[in-house]
Amino acid sequence: MLPNALSSHDLPAFADPARPFDFIIGEHLVRKSLKQHLLDHQLSTESNVVVEYVPAVVPLEQQKAAPHDDWVSAVDVAPLPAHGPPGAMPVASGSYDGCVRLWRGPQLSGPVALVSGAHAGGVTAAKWLPGVHGAGADGSRLLLTAGRDHVARLWRCEGVDGGDGGDAVAVTAVASFAGHTDTVEGVAVSPSGSAAATCGWDSAVL
């Protein structure tokens, strides 16, 4: 027996009271009391209805702002590290101020590193390399970026997984990839991290 005043914040007795649920009747998501839902859909209050419930999608809450000096054009969260705490997932962001910033997740502490002049004219894409190809034995990570300077660059980032925030961070350019004749708009990396592709305003995929 379900009360007429049932809402998405009420739960059956066997459900976890600490977690909100949404209710579904037929094809409709119930966003009001059960009684009002029946009235709105011209269903008798004496009808037998099947009520399903699913975990509600909790709205995101902003934890901390991460200001930049220009339009933020790229952001990527590194995959879980093979070793170390699960929360040690650095975030890389790119901006039209030409800088790449590295942050320690998930609280976005930092930025812990600022790569000034990473791409002249602005950064358009940033992607952490996954798998064994994206992480060194010393705990470093590889980051691929692209920009309006027609170039993609690979960076080695050391110390970005430091959970206590006290580790020094060093970012070194490993390689530059030319070939585009206009802005490099996007980068994609294979699941293993062993291959990558770029696309640009010159209608080319490299």
Side-chain angles (χ1 to χ4, degrees):
M1 182 70 70
L2 295 173
N4 285 338
L6 180 70
S7 70
S8 60
H9 292 284
D10 300 316
L11 296 173
F14 52 84
D16 181 2
R19 183 173 188 179
F21 279 73
D22 280 329
F23 295 93
I24 300 174
I25 297 179
E27 299 178 351
H28 301 283
L29 193 63
V30 180
R31 291 299 191 186
K32 55 194 71 176
S33 69
L34 178 59
K35 180 179 180 180
Q36 189 61 49
H37 178 85
L38 295 177
L39 290 174
D40 290 349
H41 290 82
Q42 299 181 348
L43 298 174
S44 170
T45 55
E46 301 297 326
S47 301
N48 292 324
V49 295
V50 176
V51 180
E52 301 177 72
Y53 68 95
V54 294
V57 178
V58 180
L60 297 177
E61 295 183 6
Q62 179 174 306
Q63 299 295 323
K64 184 178 180 181
H68 295 69
D69 295 329
D70 207 331
W71 176 35
V72 179
S73 49
V75 64
D76 191 43
V77 180
L80 285 170
H83 306 287
M89 293 184 294
V91 176
S93 62
S95 171
Y96 263 41
D97 60 7
C99 298
V100 172
R101 292 169 174 83
L102 303 182
W103 316 78
R104 283 202 176 100
Q107 299 300 327
L108 290 185
S109 61
V112 294
L114 173 66
V115 184
S116 298
H119 291 277
V123 180
T124 55
K127 185 70 177 179
W128 293 100
L129 270 65
V132 295
H133 295 281
D138 57 356
S140 62
R141 289 179 179 267
L142 293 177
L143 175 70
L144 182 63
T145 64
R148 300 181 69 185
D149 55 0
H150 312 175
V151 174
R153 289 188 173 88
L154 188 65
W155 309 86
R156 182 177 302 279
C157 307
E158 302 176 75
V160 291
D161 281 324
D164 58 5
D167 294 342
V169 176
V171 182
T172 306
V174 177
S176 294
F177 305 97
H180 286 282
T181 58
D182 207 334
T183 295
V184 184
E185 181 63 27
V187 298
V189 181
S190 67
S192 66
S194 60
T198 61
C199 62
W201 291 7
D202 55 0
S203 305
V205 176
L206 302 177

